[in-house]
Amino acid sequence: MPKAELRYDCVSGLCVDTLPGRCGVVIFGASGDLTHRKLMPALFSLARRGLLPERFFVVGCARTRMSDTAFRDKVRQALPATTPADRRLADRFLNACYYLPGNYDEPRTYRALSKRLTALHGRHKTGLNHFFYLAIPPALYGDVVAQLNRAGLVDQKSAGRPWRRVIVEKPIGRDLSSAMDLDRVLHQHLRENQIYRIDHYLGKETVQNILMFRFANLIFEPLWNQQYVDHVQITVAEAIGIEHRAGYFEQTGLLRDMFQNHMFQMLALVAMEPPASFDADRLRDEKTKLLRSIRPFPTDALDRHLVRGQYRQGRVDGQPVRGYRAEDGVHPQSRTETFVAAKILIDNWRWQGVPFYLRSGKRLPRRVSEIAIAFRRVPHSIFHPLAPQHLMPDTLVLNVQPEEGISLTIQAKCPGGKVCMMPLSMDFRYNQVFGGNPPEAYERLLLDCMLGDQTLFIRNDNVEVSWALLTPVLEAWEMAGRQPARGKLQGYRAGSWGPAAAHRLLARDGRKWRTPGNARPACVAGEARS
Ligand code: BG6
């Protein structure tokens, strides 16, 4: 249970954070990339912010043979500790880091872990509260959880003391049936309130802000529906290709990698009904309800709703880059998609007839994620001779990254002519207001797991609904053959905004993709000449 509550004023705002109670963390996959790039720096950053409990330790577990000292040295290199105070803190933090080598499929690993945890509890007085982070291939989740159970390491009384939690990373399955199988296995050994399914997008400050923005303000909610919103665009663009992840990406593709989780989660937060409270289950009820209202993709006319693409060679940031099929580890005739654009319709009262256009891709011109709410045009223009179609509709953009912020573009008068206006943008930038970069997503998520707060984690019904929507698409793509209606894999030049078909997807509805981060200011003059 949370031990103390810290309340402080943050830039004259209300800020409440809770200090978690004592615990030990076990990371499986501790010699891997995720541990060193994200998890250990995030834990250290929590320590810097005074948000780690005093009684705390980390045990890294992996197959690689390594001593505690070697593990600490490796972790030290990953910690951003440049000042003397940070280095002192890093020493204290590293003193509480330990390492246990072992094979994940051998019972003796778990016996050794159990002994080690008891000993560390003796030293750090952590109350035998533990969370286990599975930073390992998903194929191993079932075995590791079963072994933890057999060793008595995930036993949790209904009162929840000591608590035992397990964090799993995506991918949670690769289609509906594999996701359900995994869920069954996890539930053989754990209760749902012990399972923390991570989607790191939910830990991003700007994604969390969608809830504050919508439900801590009154002025937007009345406009947030089919009466005022013309359409919504969600873009997650990356300039990078697949880097060293060909093995994973070839098996996964972009729809599984980005849509089933990050894109659908953002869509759910933007479009769901207000939950009764900021409570894990109330919030997740609403997200599931929203995802259930998405109209299934028509598999006989998929090309009217979805475009899949694969990058060819091109230039990104002025540098020549290879096409996907020429990347190391990629099959020369690979049919894996690296880009997806989708038109999504939501069958409920709020959103009837409002398309949500989602797109995400690798090797696009730059890294940018945003959610743009495009409002309808004014019904009538009083500014003769300008007609309503001359007036650019208002747009609200939630900039998820990298320039975190919010901008609202509205029409305003340009000085000069009597009827002369242009879209002006009211901008709020996180770094201007708060300075520096917002905390990393993993900090929030690790902290919430210690606190037992599942609000920003995915519940199993959520996973199922999103796979239920996407599995028929994946099957249709696999069997597409020569049926263009099922959606051909389209090439696009690296460094472009995706295949031409993605532009046609919107053009058919008389709309265009925004160029993210671009408010396109232009003066509209309607000076009448006499
Ligand atoms: C991961 C995907 O979940 O998210 C990657 O597997 C992708 O392919 C990454 O690059 C994007 O995350 P972020 O935080 O950099 O936008």
Side-chain angles (χ1 to χ4, degrees):
M1 281 300 283
K3 218 177 108 196
E5 211 165 69
L6 301 178
R7 283 164 193 272
Y8 50 92
D9 210 26
C10 112
V11 198
S12 50
L14 281 173
C15 199
V16 179
D17 237 323
T18 309
L19 185 64
R22 56 194 175 154
C23 64
V25 174
V26 179
I27 303 178
F28 288 99
S31 55
D33 203 41
L34 180 67
T35 305
H36 294 278
R37 246 179 352 101
K38 298 285 186 192
L39 305 182
M40 298 310 283
L43 288 171
F44 178 64
S45 183
L46 288 175
R48 276 214 296 215
R49 292 167 57 205
L51 288 171
L52 269 195
E54 271 296 305
R55 296 176 182 175
F56 176 81
F57 65 80
V58 180
V59 177
C61 180
R63 280 179 286 233
T64 316
R65 307 267 129 201
M66 215 183 331
S67 64
D68 287 346
T69 317
F71 180 61
R72 288 173 187 163
D73 288 345
K74 199 166 170 212
V75 173
R76 186 187 295 279
Q77 289 163 24
L79 303 184
T82 45
T83 65
D86 274 354
R87 281 196 287 272
R88 280 193 299 277
L89 182 66
D91 287 340
R92 276 212 305 282
F93 174 77
L94 289 166
N95 270 338
C97 292
Y98 305 86
Y99 186 78
L100 179 84
N103 288 333
Y104 303 129
D105 55 352
E106 287 179 3
R108 65 179 169 167
T109 304
Y110 301 85
R111 286 198 295 273
L113 180 61
S114 175
K115 263 172 82 180
R116 193 82 186 266
L117 291 178
T118 310
L120 288 173
H121 161 60
R123 184 180 308 171
H124 293 274
K125 306 281 178 292
T126 43
L128 290 170
N129 297 315
H130 300 133
F131 79 77
F132 301 89
Y133 199 116
L134 307 193
I136 50 176
L140 302 175
Y141 290 170
D143 271 359
V144 170
V145 170
Q147 299 263 19
L148 284 171
N149 190 22
R150 242 169 266 141
L153 289 169
V154 286
D155 292 352
Q156 181 177 288
K157 309 247 158 33
S158 48
R161 282 191 206 171
W163 55 255
R164 307 287 165 75
R165 299 173 188 145
V166 175
I167 301 190
V168 290
E169 273 279 341
K170 68 175 250 287
I172 311 286
R174 49 177 291 105
D175 54 19
L176 181 59
S177 75
S178 56
M180 289 176 75
D181 288 348
L182 175 61
D183 197 55
R184 260 191 301 277
V185 173
L186 293 178
H187 278 102
Q188 272 167 23
H189 310 289
L190 302 165
R191 297 195 199 102
E192 182 60 28
N193 67 7
Q194 294 179 279
I195 307 173
Y196 287 66
R197 298 177 193 81
I198 277 209
D199 179 324
H200 78 279
Y201 264 63
L202 295 183
K204 289 182 191 277
E205 287 286 329
T206 40
V207 174
Q208 292 175 55
N209 186 44
I210 299 171
L211 290 174
M212 311 283 159
F213 184 84
R214 290 193 56 199
F215 304 127
N217 296 297
L218 185 67
I219 60 173
F220 298 103
E221 192 51 22
L223 309 179
W224 216 259
N225 55 50
Q226 42 82 19
Q227 229 184 317
Y228 295 97
V229 175
D230 178 71
H231 71 281
V232 176
Q233 295 189 15
I234 303 182
T235 298
V236 174
E238 291 186 278
I240 55 168
I242 46 147
E243 317 250 88
H244 52 276
R245 299 165 73 219
Y248 161 77
F249 204 82
E250 273 283 85
Q251 297 303 314
T252 309
L254 198 118
L255 194 74
R256 290 187 175 98
D257 189 42
M258 299 296 288
F259 269 68
Q260 185 271 330
N261 35 68
H262 313 323
M263 302 296 282
F264 273 11
Q265 286 300 316
M266 285 195 287
L267 168 66
L269 290 174
V270 169
M272 71 185 193
E273 294 301 315
S277 65
F278 192 29
D279 160 273
D281 278 326
R282 297 300 72 79
L283 189 99
R284 297 184 302 175
D285 288 347
E286 292 303 336
K287 282 203 292 186
T288 303
K289 190 169 103 195
L290 186 281
L291 293 172
R292 280 195 215 289
S293 319
I294 294 179
R295 189 179 302 171
F297 295 105
T299 43
D300 50 350
L302 267 191
D303 58 336
R304 312 293 290 181
H305 290 257
L306 279 155
V307 173
R308 55 175 167 155
Q310 189 188 68
Y311 63 83
R312 306 274 187 255
Q313 67 180 47
R315 293 180 91 77
V316 176
D317 270 342
Q319 300 300 317
V321 296
R322 292 186 272 186
Y324 178 71
R325 291 179 181 176
E327 300 276 18
D328 296 334
V330 171
H331 192 281
Q333 265 118 45
S334 169
R335 301 196 50 74
T336 303
E337 79 285 355
T338 60
F339 174 97
V340 174
K343 172 179 168 180
I344 288 178
L345 295 169
I346 298 173
D347 286 327
N348 65 15
W349 277 46
R350 187 188 282 263
W351 295 118
Q352 197 52 228
V354 179
F356 284 70
Y357 300 106
L358 275 56
R359 66 176 163 171
S360 176
K362 305 278 184 198
R363 286 284 188 232
L364 300 185
R366 58 179 179 277
R367 176 175 185 254
V368 58
S369 303
E370 64 163 45
I371 299 166
I373 320 290
F375 290 94
R376 287 183 185 278
R377 291 181 190 282
V378 290
H380 163 73
S381 167
I382 63 164
F383 301 106
H384 181 75
L386 298 182
Q389 60 273 23
H390 293 128
L391 309 181
M392 216 172 104
D394 306 330
T395 309
L396 174 76
V397 181
L398 308 175
N399 300 292
V400 175
Q401 61 190 24
E403 285 177 22
E404 292 85 356
I406 297 174
S407 63
L408 178 62
T409 307
I410 51 168
Q411 292 291 327
K413 168 126 183 26
C414 294
K418 187 155 185 205
V419 176
C420 183
M421 59 189 94
M422 68 183 292
L424 285 186
S425 195
M426 298 200 282
D427 275 331
F428 144 69
R429 292 268 169 263
Y430 273 69
N431 63 5
Q432 281 165 9
V433 179
F434 303 114
N437 294 323
E440 264 281 334
Y442 279 94
E443 287 177 40
R444 176 81 262 155
L445 297 172
L446 291 169
L447 180 60
D448 280 1
C449 178
M450 289 186 252
L451 291 167
D453 180 351
Q454 291 183 304
T455 311
L456 302 178
F457 294 84
I458 316 283
R459 203 170 58 191
N460 53 348
D461 54 350
N462 231 260
V463 177
E464 263 183 54
V465 184
S466 43
W467 277 126
L469 282 162
L470 294 180
T471 302
V473 173
L474 291 162
E475 287 170 358
W477 279 355
E478 228 159 72
M479 298 182 309
R482 287 205 204 86
Q483 300 178 48
R486 288 195 161 160
K488 250 176 67 189
L489 181 68
Q490 315 269 346
Y492 63 98
R493 191 172 39 79
S496 71
W497 283 104
H503 299 283
R504 288 197 294 273
L505 184 73
L506 269 71
R508 273 201 295 273
D509 296 345
R511 300 190 177 94
K512 276 188 183 159
W513 289 106
R514 284 171 40 81
T515 304
N518 182 1
R520 280 174 294 169
C523 241
V524 188
E527 196 75 76
R529 283 166 204 263
S530 54

